[in-house]
Amino acid sequence: MEPGTIDNLSILYQSSDFIVVNKHWDIRIDSRMWYETLTLQSQLKYRFPELADPDTYYGFRFCHQLDFSTSGALCVALNKAAAGSAYKCFKDRLVTKAYLALVRGHVSQSRMTICYAIGKNTTEGMTHMMCIDGTEGCENPKPCQSELIVLELGSYSGDPVTKVLLQPLTGRTHQLRVHCSAIGHPIVGDFTYSHKKDSSPYRMMLHAYYLRIPTSKELIEVCAPDPFVTAMDSNWVPHHVTHRLDETIQELK
């Protein structure tokens, strides 16, 4: 997947009510800043000017969020009724999401459930970050749960890394990034949660791979192509397969 430009938006699914895009890394969903001209919103307006809704501030109704640094499947509703039916699925916890990530080090357990409560970091200079309960300055921590399944052990630019499938069972800001950091395996390229050390990779290696939203109108089920393969990034070299991705996704279903 090449870096995002105004005219290279990849569409994974489209109907009269929804579009699912494969969001590029390092692109905001929307922005009120005049200088931020390349956003998912501007890509959608460029590609589908006739679908932009003048009754909304951004022209499109985003059903959920992905971080600036995260790539992958993101669902957009094309009208108010569709947005309402998707919102109900999120509210009733009927949505299944699974992310792919490369994390630092070799994860020793093949599966684990991560259960650290997460709150806002109120420490000066860190107010844009989240933190786990017990961290100094951690405000209003709430229970959080993520599932981690090891797919492959390998190396990135010669350093040991693990390719994992992550499933957030709750929906806190930066949850997967904070949980991976908390178990001592921060996501490759995550500058923020590596204590500002991990800056050499070209992107943060977190990708929204699988999305299933069983709306009352239609079943949305998509996979956004896996970017963490050697053919796409020769720095990543897998050495040992623990779980196969396609079989692991079948289990989730």
Side-chain angles (χ1 to χ4, degrees):
M1 195 180 181
E2 69 288 345
T5 60
I6 192 71
D7 60 353
N8 72 345
L9 183 62
S10 167
I11 307 301
L12 301 170
Y13 174 90
Q14 186 175 358
S15 70
S16 56
D17 289 312
F18 297 98
I19 293 173
V20 182
V21 303
N22 187 6
K23 177 187 143 347
H24 287 90
W25 71 92
D26 288 3
I27 282 188
R28 286 186 211 294
I29 291 174
D30 46 46
S31 176
R32 297 184 184 208
M33 302 300 178
W34 60 269
Y35 54 82
E36 256 185 305
T37 53
L38 183 62
T39 60
L40 179 53
Q41 167 213 6
S42 66
Q43 288 179 315
L44 283 164
K45 272 190 174 164
Y46 181 88
R47 179 79 172 267
F48 303 107
E50 73 287 358
L51 297 180
D53 186 342
D55 292 340
T56 65
Y57 186 90
Y58 289 113
F60 292 90
R61 293 177 169 88
F62 299 105
C63 299
H64 53 116
Q65 297 288 313
L66 284 180
D67 286 354
F68 169 74
S69 311
T70 306
S71 60
L74 184 90
C75 184
V76 183
L78 297 176
N79 55 68
K80 205 170 179 180
S85 69
Y87 171 75
K88 190 173 186 319
C89 290
F90 279 94
K91 184 168 160 284
D92 295 344
R93 296 197 168 185
L94 301 174
V95 176
T96 307
K97 288 189 207 168
Y99 292 70
L100 290 170
L102 297 181
V103 300
R104 293 285 175 195
H106 284 163
V107 180
S108 55
Q109 290 173 254
S110 67
R111 290 174 182 253
M112 65 168 77
T113 302
I114 310 168
C115 291
Y116 293 104
I118 294 176
K120 194 156 177 49
N121 198 331
T122 59
T123 310
E124 194 177 346
M126 295 186 173
T127 51
H128 62 296
M129 294 174 67
M130 306 297 282
C131 53
I132 60 166
D133 190 15
T135 308
E136 194 179 339
C138 190
E139 187 179 85
N140 191 24
K142 290 184 178 164
C144 280
Q145 193 173 333
S146 306
E147 295 289 336
L148 180 152
I149 298 171
V150 170
L151 298 172
E152 295 172 319
L153 302 178
S155 58
Y156 193 86
S157 299
D159 297 319
V161 301
T162 306
K163 183 172 176 176
V164 296
L165 189 80
L166 297 165
Q167 194 183 4
L169 302 182
T170 47
R172 294 290 276 161
T173 302
H174 296 178
Q175 177 177 319
L176 298 176
R177 297 166 65 184
V178 173
H179 272 173
C180 286
S181 181
I183 61 165
H185 296 284
I187 293 170
V188 173
D190 189 348
F191 184 70
T192 304
Y193 292 103
S194 64
H195 307 292
K196 301 190 175 174
K197 289 189 194 116
D198 201 345
S199 60
S200 53
Y202 69 99
R203 62 163 290 183
M204 182 179 75
M205 306 296 174
L206 180 62
H207 177 73
Y209 175 71
Y210 175 74
L211 178 66
R212 184 181 192 275
I213 311 175
T215 76
S216 55
K217 292 174 168 289
E218 64 207 81
L219 171 64
I220 299 164
E221 186 173 33
V222 294
C223 286
D226 176 4
F228 309 135
V229 290
T230 308
M232 303 271 282
D233 184 353
S234 58
N235 291 307
W236 157 242
V237 181
H239 302 154
H240 171 75
V241 176
T242 305
H243 292 103
R244 297 203 172 277
L245 177 57
D246 52 350
E247 291 169 8
T248 309
I249 291 295
Q250 282 303 323
E251 270 182 52
L252 284 188
K253 294 179 185 182

